[in-house]
Structure formats: structure tokens, C-alpha cells
Amino acid sequence: EEEKVGEEKPEVLSPEELEKLKEEVDERKKLISTLRGKPWPMRKKLLTLRESHEFVEKYEGALGKGKSRKLYAYKVMMLKALMGRPYGSMPRKTVPRADEANAMDFAVLWDFGVITNCLFGYAQYSVLFYGYYNSQRAIGWLKFRMPLSYFLVGVGTVAYSYMVVIRTMARNANEDGGGDNNSFNFSWKMFTSWDYLIGNPETADNKFASITTSFKEAILEEQESRKDDNIHLTRFLRVLANFLVLCCLAGSGYLIYFVVRRSQKFALEGLESHSWWERNEVNMVMSLLGMFCPMLFDVISALENYHPRIALQWQLGRIFALFLGNLYTFIIALMDEINLKREEEEVLKLNMTIWEASLYNGTLGVNSTAPPITVHPADIPRGPCWETMVGQEFVRLIVSDTMTTYITLLIGDFLRAVLVRFLNYCWCWDLEAGFPSYSEFDVSGNVLGLIFNQGMIWMGAFYAPCLPALNVLRLHVSMYLQCWAVMCCNVPQERVFKASGSNNFYMAMLLVILFLSTLPAIYTIVTIPPSFDCGPFSGKSRMFDVIQETLESDFPAWFGKVFSYASNPGLVLPFLLLMVLAIYYLQSTSKSYKQANLELKKKLQTVSRTINKVLTLIQHLLYSLCGTCTDIVCSPESKKKGGEHRAHQGKSNHQIPPSATSPPAPRGHRIPGPLPGNQWQPAPSVQRVPNSQRH
Amino acid sequence: MGTTASQLRKDLLSEYQELTFLTKREIILAHKRFSELLSKEDRNVPTPRVPMEKVLSLPELKSNPFRKRISHVFSTSDMKDGSLTFEDFLDLLSAFSDSATLEIKSHYAFRIFDFDDDGTLDGGDLEKLVNCLTGETDDTRLTTEEMRQLISNILEESDIDKDGTVNLSEFQHVISRSPDFVSSFKIVL
């Protein structure tokens, strides 16, 4: 057939042959494009490539399709370009970077360098805080709706955060494969724990140590999960431990409440008469509690004698409760302050009318007509802007939290490492192995810290719009600082347990915190009327009135009607009910899928075991057949060998190994085919073998 | 300079680029590093081979516990001495490159872990594997009991057909579900 095909006479071939040739050419092209993914030595790949190129060029010309050659070239180029793209996944962002509509004034931000006191100074009127924004409805020639945009950005940020967190959780759940979390624990440790990018001997040693620890821990965990002990004592101790923890939580809640009350008293007496500690007491106490209580919980949990992973989950749960308790106490205290400010505002409004009247009164005497009085804006008494105060409080909280973290890092990690390293030479016991030793890098504690930090940002973002941007800055600094601290002063954790197989545990926590953080903000938006003279919503009776206003003025009339129908409770309630039902339905189907998955896995194991047994049986039969054949036909020596071989049967693992450089049988990932690992091949010692080689 | 071995022909370069997951720049860099490993006499040989000791002296491989196995797996030498030609070296870099597929990585990983080259990972292979991972010193090694427990746990997890060994498909099944494998199985010059 190849001789028949000339350079210019395609009509010599019949259509079927032409078709076949075309198919062959396409196959070759496909082969060329997949060559780099084949585990062959380069020589073989090169030969195949050159052969295939020759074939394709020869017969594409013969097929007379000059165009297709160009198309082919383009296709190859495209494939090359695609292959060149690095393999990997996009980094997933779980923290939304809210991009505020207003430009930031960097000079102002720089002034913010002086931590707490500056907040009450110049920065108060900066773009950082709610109070800066004007309530003018439309700005500039573009008619930019500022109040509306402020509101929508706030709401949009929260909605986007929810979406991102839930999407990440769903993706993690998918990758888990539904219940497969722990299935390959040991195998993964074995096959994937070495990092091939390590080039430094010291790093390699560290890696060896951590791998060994990880193996030992996993083995220990496996053993512990099969132990059984004195259950009554354990239960009693656990109840006791929980009681102690509750006492701790109650104690910390009361402490915060007490401190907040005191700070209110100080505020009434005037802040200047008190020391720095007394002014920042609340934030300091909260940060310190956040630092020491988890250690206390850790000590208490030694009573409980739980499996390490479960103990870790309890620990995280308790820290979570601590954080929530503290934060909500703080918020309640904040509410008190808001009410105070609002009372002040009422008083001020009253005073202002009197003041304005006095201004006019003064000049009317001089001139009978009343020209508009120009008063310098700085002289007008400003209302106490409760929203700015809220923003300030959050910023202070976050700043003090940051400072506490950094100082703890420097003292607890760095100073400790320095002391241990240098005092070790002249100390009685081994400081490095014994008591202080180097601090461990606590993964779960740090992740929790990040999550809580994010919760505080979500809470404060509506009232201090630049808070997320500041947080980005803070996170960058934290990252570099902690990177340095880890490399310089920390040792890897002794017990490497993850709180959950996937990251969904932390994601779930993030989701709960998102929900709990946005609650207070939503509450204040819905119930408390905004200040009368500051912020984008000043003068309105409720902040969300801006939506109403927009609907009325910016949209055509029928839109407003449609909206009012849609927000009718008669429509909304059935819709909510439908959603609840949908959730229930999806939940139950997902449960049934998980169940089916497990069943299939078990079936797979049973089936392969059965097939294995059947094959072994057939092998036995054939060998015995061979044996009898060779007994009759062959010489006594081979009979001996055959007999020996039969005695060796055991695990039926005697197979001529496929040579290490030959390609594996082209088998798809999911096609069962002949059972892997059980390729039946005759033993080398049997001389004459009937035609029974299967492949 | 100016010896023929120090320059890659353009057509070869594009063929190599078509057959590996490396970019042209990476291939040229690989050629440069490979030439540095060659001794003076070898440079003029048509297809020079670098002996295994020299390959293992590369900083990227020096600290790797599997370096000897890597050399052996990618070597096409008839004497099975782990020596690499430039093409073997390219195969190595391609399998360990960032853009290589999971299938190719898992295939080669399997061969690297198969210490006795019999096509399956049996208890002996796994034991040697663990010993490689736990380092050279005695106090980091596992005890016999721990080793036995570990190997039986692994086989319980990965050996689907219960024949006492892990073959290529079982290995690929386990590896494909691992989140860390592709990112850790990487070597970049």
C-alpha cells in the first residue's frame, strides 16, 4: 500500500484506504504530542519522534492537504504552548481584600504611626474612620452615590466573604473524596513526605528528624486507638477538667466586664489623669487573657487523657469559646459606650441650637439684614460620632493584639532561645533538652490567631473602612517576622497531629466566626440611628434608608413596586421554607452518596480478593498439569526442579519481572483488566511450557 | 571554549523540547551543568557518560536519600552502574520538572522506590524505603517492632488485591489522592 501511494496521485487509493491512512496520520500526530508524557528513555522517544514526523510529512503531502499541514503546525504549536504552562493550582484566597472606593491619604496614615494616642488626634478625622465620609448624596459630575456605595461595599464584602469560605469548604470536601481522609495516612507519609527540592544538608537532617517523629507518632496513634483503660476514672477526670475550664471562662468574662466598667469610670473622670496602663487597660487585659488562658487549658487537658487529635479539637474549641466570650463582652461594653455617646449627641444638638441662635442674636443688632454668617468649620462644635468611636475601639484592639503577638514572639521565642543557647554553657541542667528548651512552632495556635484576627477585621470594617488595608500591611509584617522567628528560634512540634484530615475544620471555624462577627455590625446598622453630623448616613433615621432612597429616586417607578411586592412576607416566608427543604434534601443525598462510596470500596476489595483466589487456583492447576507433563516427558533433573518449584508455590509471587526499562502495559487508570500484580508467567526452571503465556 | 560538546544543535534542542517538559532555557542550563560534570577527556566523546559519583555530587541531589536510586532508574547504561548521558539527565529533569504530569511522576517514583527492580514494592523494598527516610544515624531509625507495624499498616492501606506487594496501579491509586506529591516530587536546577 505504501508503494502504491505516489506523491501526486491520491485518486489511486480507494476512499476507505484514504480514510485509514488519514486515521493513521492523526494517530501519529497524537503520539507525537503525547510523547513527553511517556516514561521512555530519551533515545526511544527520539527515534519514535523522528519516525512519526517522517511518516506524517510523507503522507500528509500524499493526501494533498497542504492546508492541513498548516493546521497541524498550529495545533502542535498550541499544544506546545499549553504543555509549557506550569502545572499547579491557583492560590486560593480565603481573605477578601476589600478595595475601598476612596483613595487613601498616605500622609495621614503615616501619622498613625504613634499607636494609641494618635487615634484620638488627627487620625480621627482621616479616611480611616467612618466620620470622614460626607453624607452628600451624589458627588461630582459622575454623580457618584457615596452613601449608597459605602453601604453596598460593606454588605458586599460580607457576602463575598461568605461565598469564598463556603466555596473553599465545598472544594476541600470534594478533594477529600468523601470519607477518604485517613485511608492513606501511612502510605502518604511513606511515599510523599520527602521534599525533593531540599539541597541543604542541615535542612535534610531536620526533615529526617521530622519524618521519623511523624512515623513514630502515627504508629503510636494507631496503637492507642486500640487501647482500653479504666473508664470511670477517666470520665470523672474529664468532667472535672471541663468544670475547671468553665470556671476559667467565667473568670475571664467577669474580668473583662470589670475592667470595662472601670474604664468607663476613668473616661468620665477624664482620660488625662490616668497612666498609660489605665487608659489601655481593656485591650491589654484582653490580649493577656488571650495569651495565658490557652496555656492553662493545655495544662488542664492533661487530666483528660484523650487521643491527641481529639484533645487538640477540644483545646481549639475551648480557645474558640474564650475568644467569643471575650469579644462579646467587649461588644456589650461597646454598646454601653454607644448609648452614652448618643445621649451626649442629644445634649449637643440642644446646645447647638442655642449657640446658633446666640450667633445671630449677636449680629442682628449691628445690621438689620442678616448676612450669612461665615464661621470657620473648625469652630463648629462637632457631634460625638459614635461610629468613629466604634471604629477607633476596634483599631485599638487590633493594634494591641498585634503588639502583644510581636512582643510575645520576641520575648517568648527569641529571648528564650538566646537564653537557652547561651546560658546552657554555665547551667546545671541541660537547658536545651530539659525545662525551657526552645519553643515549638504551634501550628494550630497560629492558625487560630489568624482566624480570630480576621473575625475582628470583619467586625470593625464597616466603621473603619481602611481596616482591611491596614490588616494587609500587618499580615505582611507578621509573615516576615514569623518566618524569621521560626527559622531562628523554633523547633518543630513534637506531636504532629492535624485537627482534621482536611482543612475544613479551620474553614468551618472561619465560617462560624464570620457569622458571629457580622452579627454585631448588622445589629448596629439595623437598630441604632446614625449620628446627625458625621458619616455618609448622617441625618437619616436608619442606615439602610439609603437603599430606600436610591430605589425611590434613581430607579423607575415600576421597579419600586416590584421590589415592594418581592419583599412582602407572604412571598419571603415560603421562599425561606423552600430553601430549608432544599438544604435538607441535599444533605440526605450527600449522606447516601457517601454510604454508596464506602460500599463500593468494600466490594472492590472483596472482588479483587476473589479474583486473586481464582487465579491462584488456576495457577496451581496449570502447574500441576505441567508437573505431570514434565514428569512423563522430561528427564529426572527437570522433574526435580519442577517438584521443587511446585513446593515453592506459597504466595504465587513467582513471576518473571518485567524489565525495568520496558514500558508498562498501556492500561487506563480505571480499566480493571487482568489483575495488576498478578501477571501469570511460567517459572524459569520448567523446561517445556505449553502455550500458556498470558499477557 | 569552543569544543563541540559545549553547544547544543538547534534541531536537537527543539526535539528535546518537544520530548520533555522542560523549556529551551532549562535544557540549555541543563546542558551547561552537565558539561561541567564531564572530565576533560570525556568532552570530546560523542555521547559522554557521567559516572554516578559525579552525578551524586550535584547540589540538588547531594542531600537526597534516594539519589542512588534516581541515578539507577534514569541510567541507560548497559553496565547498570548508574552513569548518565545527557539524554538520561534530561529525562531525569523532565520527570522532576514543575510541569510534568502526575502519571509520569508516579511512574518514576514507583521505579525509584522499587529497590530490587522487580516491578512491585514488597516488604523488603518498603523497609529499605523507611530506612532511607529516617536518616543514617541509629537513634533516628525505627525499632524492628515499629518497622513491622508500619509495613503492615501500609500494606493494609494500599495493597488492594492483598498479594503482599504494592504494584504500579495500586501505587498510582494512592499517589493520585495525595495532595502533596506533585509539589514535593520536584527538582529544579
Side-chain angles (χ1 to χ4, degrees):
Chain A
E1 155 187 68
E2 272 126 64
E3 284 88 28
K4 259 198 269 178
V5 176
E7 284 284 330
E8 6 38 56
K9 289 196 198 129
E11 53 266 16
V12 172
L13 290 175
S14 66
E16 302 90 51
E17 285 170 332
L18 209 62
E19 199 48 47
K20 241 176 88 184
L21 193 62
K22 187 163 164 299
E23 259 178 46
E24 184 66 35
V25 168
D26 282 336
E27 280 249 355
R28 290 292 182 129
K29 286 192 212 167
K30 206 172 104 178
L31 178 64
I32 293 178
S33 62
T34 56
L35 262 180
R36 50 160 64 103
K38 293 224 188 297
W40 297 344
M42 185 65 85
R43 269 292 115 189
K44 184 165 172 188
K45 286 196 276 193
L46 266 174
L47 286 170
T48 322
L49 181 75
R50 288 171 183 161
E51 253 177 45
S52 308
H53 265 315
E54 261 181 55
F55 183 87
V56 165
E57 275 168 21
K58 190 162 151 197
Y59 291 110
E60 275 218 292
L63 290 173
K65 296 195 185 114
K67 258 185 250 170
S68 74
R69 192 183 304 187
K70 266 199 207 141
L71 277 174
Y72 166 62
Y74 284 139
K75 192 167 124 189
V76 167
M77 261 176 13
M78 207 170 66
L79 280 170
K80 275 195 223 172
L82 283 176
M83 295 285 201
R85 195 175 296 165
Y87 176 84
S89 58
M90 274 184 22
R92 288 188 207 135
K93 290 188 277 196
T94 58
V95 177
R97 305 283 188 249
D99 212 0
E100 299 299 329
N102 302 286
M104 274 203 287
D105 188 354
F106 282 101
V108 169
L109 284 179
W110 220 245
D111 272 346
F112 186 57
V114 180
I115 308 158
T116 39
N117 291 323
C118 193
L119 285 168
F120 294 100
Y122 184 52
Q124 183 177 312
Y125 302 109
S126 74
V127 72
L128 279 172
F129 296 111
Y130 177 98
Y132 170 84
Y133 297 94
N134 204 335
S135 72
Q136 193 182 342
R137 196 172 158 270
I139 298 181
W141 59 275
L142 279 172
K143 299 261 188 283
F144 178 67
R145 308 279 190 260
M146 153 83 101
L148 180 68
S149 121
Y150 192 99
F151 189 80
L152 287 180
V153 165
V155 170
T157 318
V158 172
Y160 181 68
S161 309
Y162 271 110
M163 205 181 70
V164 168
V165 174
I166 292 186
R167 201 173 55 175
T168 314
M169 284 179 77
R171 209 176 292 172
N172 281 346
N174 268 345
E175 279 177 1
D176 270 354
D180 237 2
N181 315 19
N182 294 326
S183 293
F184 298 129
N185 229 354
F186 285 100
S187 309
W188 284 347
K189 279 201 214 300
M190 178 86 121
F191 299 134
T192 67
S193 53
W194 183 261
D195 182 359
Y196 289 71
L197 281 171
I198 291 179
N200 180 345
E202 205 179 283
T203 322
D205 284 332
N206 281 342
K207 190 73 179 171
F208 287 138
S210 85
I211 290 179
T212 312
T213 324
S214 148
F215 274 141
K216 294 200 181 191
E217 278 305 340
I219 296 173
L220 194 64
E221 179 190 354
E222 186 75 16
Q223 285 172 352
E224 283 202 3
S225 69
R226 305 175 186 176
K227 255 201 289 188
D228 225 3
D229 249 344
N230 183 356
I231 201 152
H232 294 291
L233 181 65
T234 324
R235 274 210 202 122
F236 169 72
L237 285 175
R238 285 177 188 175
V239 168
L240 179 65
N242 279 318
F243 175 71
L244 286 173
V245 164
L246 276 172
C247 289
C248 275
L249 289 173
S252 92
Y254 178 70
L255 187 62
I256 292 186
Y257 180 73
F258 174 71
V259 163
V260 166
R261 275 265 171 269
R262 243 168 53 128
S263 82
Q264 282 172 348
K265 206 172 49 150
F266 290 156
L268 286 174
E269 292 167 9
L271 285 169
E272 297 72 28
S273 55
H274 296 282
S275 65
W276 176 86
W277 171 264
E278 281 162 341
R279 266 179 285 164
N280 295 307
E281 211 170 26
V282 178
N283 299 313
M284 283 298 126
V285 165
M286 282 184 72
S287 305
L288 288 173
L289 275 176
M291 205 165 65
F292 288 115
C293 280
M295 294 188 212
L296 198 57
F297 292 158
D298 215 2
V299 168
I300 294 177
S301 72
L303 276 178
E304 290 180 326
N305 197 15
Y306 272 129
H307 179 284
R309 174 169 297 151
I310 308 230
L312 183 62
Q313 285 177 336
W314 273 98
Q315 174 77 351
L316 292 178
R318 285 171 185 151
I319 297 179
F320 185 71
L322 176 75
F323 167 75
L324 275 184
N326 291 353
L327 203 62
Y328 269 72
T329 318
F330 177 74
I331 285 171
I332 292 173
L334 212 59
M335 288 295 176
D336 279 345
E337 280 194 53
I338 292 178
N339 287 332
L340 264 171
K341 288 264 169 172
R342 287 179 55 211
E343 281 169 21
E344 226 180 278
E345 201 179 289
E346 294 300 310
V347 170
L348 192 83
K349 264 198 248 187
L350 206 66
N351 282 347
M352 255 188 90
T353 47
I354 299 175
W355 176 80
E356 266 179 16
S358 77
L359 274 180
Y360 276 98
N361 275 346
T363 50
L364 262 180
V366 171
N367 206 344
S368 50
T369 59
I373 312 275
T374 45
V375 186
H376 194 274
D379 287 335
I380 302 180
R382 303 284 283 263
C385 199
W386 65 265
E387 296 97 340
T388 306
M389 187 265 304
V390 169
Q392 281 170 348
E393 286 298 317
F394 274 109
V395 175
R396 277 171 65 181
L397 190 63
I398 287 167
V399 168
S400 72
D401 193 53
T402 315
M403 286 297 126
T404 319
T405 314
Y406 291 168
I407 292 177
T408 320
L409 202 67
L410 283 175
I411 296 183
D413 285 1
F414 181 61
L415 205 63
R416 178 168 156 182
V418 163
L419 283 175
V420 167
R421 174 68 69 91
F422 292 116
L423 281 184
N424 208 14
Y425 296 125
C426 50
W427 205 261
C428 16
W429 72 83
D430 187 356
L431 287 172
E432 283 182 5
F435 164 54
S437 75
Y438 298 108
S439 56
E440 289 182 347
F441 181 70
D442 180 16
V443 176
S444 55
N446 274 296
V447 175
L448 254 149
L450 281 175
I451 293 178
F452 293 157
N453 171 51
Q454 189 56 38
M456 291 196 282
I457 300 288
W458 274 321
M459 243 192 255
F462 191 77
Y463 295 110
C466 292
L467 204 54
L470 280 179
N471 197 39
V472 170
L473 205 65
R474 168 223 142 110
L475 285 175
H476 273 80
V477 173
S478 280
M479 180 183 77
Y480 284 111
L481 191 66
Q482 288 200 300
C483 250
W484 164 80
V486 157
M487 295 313 287
C488 161
C489 339
N490 282 351
V491 290
Q493 261 179 318
E494 267 195 46
R495 336 187 80 187
V496 193
F497 280 106
K498 292 169 78 171
S500 82
S502 71
N503 284 325
N504 263 355
F505 179 76
Y506 293 117
M507 281 290 140
M509 214 178 243
L510 193 66
L511 189 66
V512 173
I513 292 215
L514 172 57
F515 176 66
L516 293 172
S517 306
T518 48
L519 272 183
I522 293 177
Y523 175 76
T524 51
I525 290 175
V526 169
T527 24
I528 306 183
S531 302
F532 75 97
D533 73 336
C534 78
F537 308 113
S538 59
K540 301 195 178 32
S541 62
R542 287 279 184 272
M543 290 189 195
F544 54 80
D545 279 348
V546 70
I547 301 267
Q548 190 79 356
E549 221 181 76
T550 318
L551 278 177
E552 279 166 13
S553 32
D554 290 329
F555 284 100
W558 55 265
F559 202 85
K561 245 194 224 164
V562 169
F563 211 72
S564 64
Y565 286 149
S567 54
N568 188 348
L571 204 62
V572 170
L573 282 175
F575 182 67
L576 281 175
L577 193 64
L578 190 66
M579 288 213 295
V580 169
L581 289 175
I583 291 175
Y584 177 70
Y585 172 72
L586 288 171
Q587 166 90 326
S588 47
T589 44
S590 108
K591 228 183 261 185
S592 67
Y593 284 147
K594 268 195 200 152
Q595 201 62 11
N597 213 1
L598 283 169
E599 295 287 316
L600 280 172
K601 223 195 275 190
K602 279 191 204 132
K603 247 186 226 171
L604 183 68
Q605 288 191 351
T606 331
V607 167
S608 15
R609 238 171 276 167
T610 322
I611 294 184
N612 199 11
K613 284 196 196 127
V614 167
L615 285 173
T616 326
L617 203 64
I618 296 182
Q619 241 176 330
H620 277 269
L621 282 173
L622 282 167
Y623 275 143
S624 52
L625 260 173
C626 270
T628 46
C629 282
T630 53
D631 273 351
I632 299 170
V633 173
C634 295
S635 61
E637 298 155 65
S638 54
K639 191 207 272 185
K640 211 186 344 166
K641 279 194 208 148
E644 267 177 46
H645 174 79
R646 250 177 287 139
H648 268 304
Q649 267 318 299
K651 273 218 168 169
S652 75
N653 268 341
H654 290 277
Q655 23 188 341
I656 299 177
S659 101
T661 51
S662 70
R667 206 178 292 134
H669 211 15
R670 296 192 179 122
I671 305 170
L675 192 65
N678 219 18
Q679 290 171 356
W680 184 88
Q681 297 203 351
S685 56
V686 176
Q687 297 300 323
R688 239 179 282 163
V689 168
N691 186 19
S692 49
Q693 197 164 0
R694 245 195 299 150
H695 212 281
Chain B
M1 301 296 288
T3 57
T4 48
S6 66
Q7 290 285 26
L8 260 187
R9 289 188 348 247
K10 267 215 163 115
D11 54 342
L12 256 186
L13 182 62
S14 52
E15 281 183 328
Y16 286 150
Q17 200 242 338
E18 211 171 329
L19 292 175
T20 62
F21 290 101
L22 305 168
T23 60
K24 285 198 176 151
R25 206 158 52 97
E26 289 170 340
I27 298 176
I28 293 174
L29 175 63
H31 186 77
K32 180 163 147 284
R33 296 288 299 273
F34 187 77
S35 313
E36 286 166 5
L37 290 176
L38 287 173
S39 58
K40 280 251 162 66
E41 315 84 53
D42 281 340
R43 287 214 186 144
N44 295 321
V45 171
T47 49
R49 272 186 179 279
V50 170
M52 186 164 83
E53 302 75 39
K54 284 261 175 102
V55 175
L56 300 186
S57 72
L58 276 173
E60 289 84 1
L61 287 179
K62 213 167 35 168
S63 313
N64 195 315
F66 301 114
R67 53 188 182 275
K68 291 214 181 99
R69 282 299 306 160
I70 293 177
S71 268
H72 276 291
V73 163
F74 286 98
S75 160
T76 50
S77 148
D78 302 316
M79 294 176 293
K80 304 273 179 236
D81 60 358
S83 57
L84 298 182
T85 62
F86 179 60
E87 291 180 347
D88 298 336
F89 191 56
L90 279 185
D91 274 332
L92 194 159
L93 290 174
S94 170
F96 278 103
S97 83
D98 208 6
S99 1
T101 58
L102 178 68
E103 287 73 34
I104 255 243
K105 285 192 192 247
S106 55
H107 176 88
Y108 279 113
F110 183 76
R111 283 174 53 191
I112 290 173
F113 296 148
D114 189 9
F115 284 79
D116 50 10
D117 283 320
D118 65 353
T120 59
L121 302 180
D122 56 15
D125 290 327
L126 294 175
E127 189 170 332
K128 289 204 199 95
L129 184 50
V130 173
N131 281 332
C132 272
L133 283 175
T134 52
E136 311 295 301
T137 59
D138 267 329
D139 53 353
T140 52
R141 285 188 178 233
L142 297 182
T143 66
T144 337
E145 179 54 35
E146 286 172 337
M147 179 73 77
R148 193 198 56 78
Q149 173 87 344
L150 181 60
I151 293 187
S152 89
N153 283 336
I154 291 177
L155 286 175
E156 200 183 303
E157 281 175 358
S158 325
D159 188 13
I160 299 183
D161 58 5
K162 306 293 170 209
D163 64 351
T165 65
V166 180
N167 62 29
L168 181 60
S169 338
E170 291 163 345
F171 182 79
Q172 281 177 324
H173 177 86
V174 170
I175 287 291
S176 65
R177 287 188 175 35
S178 159
D180 307 317
F181 177 67
V182 173
S183 50
S184 66
F185 200 76
K186 226 191 277 189
I187 293 180
V188 180
L189 281 183

